[in-house]
Amino acid sequence: MLETLTSSITAGELPILTAVILCTFVSLILGLGVAFIYQFKSAYSQGLAMILVLMPALVQIVIMLASGNIGVGIALAGAFGLIRFRSVPGNARDIGHLFLSMGLGFVTGLGYLFFAFIFLIIIGGASVALTITNFGSGELNFRTLRIKIPENLDYDGLFDDVLAKYTSSSDLDNVRTTQMGSLYELTYSIRLKSPSIPKEFIDELRARNGNLSIIIGRGRRDMEEL
């Protein structure tokens, strides 16, 4: 029984058309599972969620039709090349689930349906567990801080003591003039001591910059983009 489950369905006695249809239905079910895992407690793109459902079936059909042909290598390279032509740069999580979806398509394309389900359970379960435990969330403490100050203020060291009080690290990335040179805009990369943004932090910065604009946004986004 176990040998039957772990063997390739394409190596059995099933007609090729039946095998293709069965593998396609299984691929769609697996893709749906990947999409649900991708959406679990996370912000997601609807377009990518739909592609995650369809990708295993698309890859599986290409693999089954090209099997035994010299064009297999080209088909595989072309399938992976789909990642390159996404219109919007994806973050690591998007690309990881896309690879999972494509990988399952390769497995079902070779006819190993049982292994495809096992891989989805193991890798999908690991993804859900990492999401639930908020693994790697320390990066949320990184922020980009933009402060505008009047041109008559010397910005060198102006906010050092405030930043030392509320951040564990801070770097002045750039300085630029705005509003016809009447203001300076300072851009810092900071790491807060806690994930939240204390109101006292903003108030102390306002007291130094004359109550001009202060913006704190997500930082280190470039670390996630691929």
Side-chain angles (χ1 to χ4, degrees):
M1 179 64 179
L2 181 60
E3 184 178 350
T4 302
L5 287 175
T6 56
S7 61
S8 173
I9 193 174
T10 57
E13 298 180 356
L14 282 178
I16 183 63
L17 181 59
T18 303
V20 170
I21 293 174
L22 179 59
C23 288
T24 302
F25 276 113
V26 171
S27 295
L28 290 172
I29 293 172
L30 294 170
L32 192 62
V34 175
F36 280 129
I37 294 169
Y38 169 66
Q39 297 174 64
F40 181 73
K41 289 189 175 182
S42 300
Y44 59 89
S45 161
Q46 181 184 13
L48 182 56
M50 294 173 62
I51 289 298
L52 291 176
V53 176
L54 300 176
M55 184 64 74
L58 294 174
V59 175
Q60 166 251 313
I61 290 173
V62 171
I63 297 301
M64 294 190 77
L65 293 180
S67 182
N69 192 288
I70 194 172
V72 171
I74 299 175
L76 294 177
F80 277 111
L82 292 174
I83 296 175
R84 174 64 182 83
F85 298 103
R86 292 186 62 224
S87 58
V88 179
N91 58 39
R93 182 173 173 275
D94 292 348
I95 300 299
H97 284 83
L98 191 57
F99 267 115
L100 173 59
S101 187
M102 294 177 66
L104 292 173
F106 289 135
V107 178
T108 57
L110 296 174
Y112 294 103
L113 305 185
F114 177 76
F115 285 118
F117 277 107
I118 295 299
F119 293 156
L120 176 61
I121 292 171
I122 295 174
I123 300 175
S127 176
V128 170
L130 292 172
T131 301
I132 292 175
T133 58
N134 209 21
F135 182 80
S137 61
E139 289 297 324
L140 296 177
N141 292 359
F142 283 102
R143 307 279 178 159
T144 296
L145 171 64
R146 292 185 175 88
I147 308 174
K148 289 184 179 179
I149 62 173
E151 62 172 340
N152 61 341
L153 283 182
D154 183 5
Y155 57 81
D156 188 23
L158 179 61
F159 302 102
D160 285 357
D161 58 331
V162 180
L163 293 173
K165 182 178 178 181
Y166 294 98
T167 70
S168 56
S169 65
S170 62
D171 295 296
L172 180 59
D173 291 337
N174 61 70
V175 179
R176 71 185 183 99
T177 60
T178 63
Q179 298 187 14
M180 303 296 292
S182 62
L183 299 175
Y184 285 116
E185 183 180 85
L186 314 179
T187 301
Y188 292 87
S189 291
I190 64 174
R191 183 171 187 173
L192 295 171
K193 293 181 178 179
S194 65
S196 61
I197 302 174
K199 180 179 181 299
E200 295 80 5
F201 181 37
I202 304 296
D203 290 341
E204 292 189 30
L205 292 175
R206 290 170 55 203
R208 298 287 180 90
N209 79 330
N211 207 27
L212 293 175
S213 173
I214 296 174
I215 300 174
I216 299 181
R218 294 292 186 194
R220 301 290 181 95
R221 184 64 182 172
D222 57 311
M223 294 178 65
E224 293 187 6
E225 291 180 350
L226 297 176

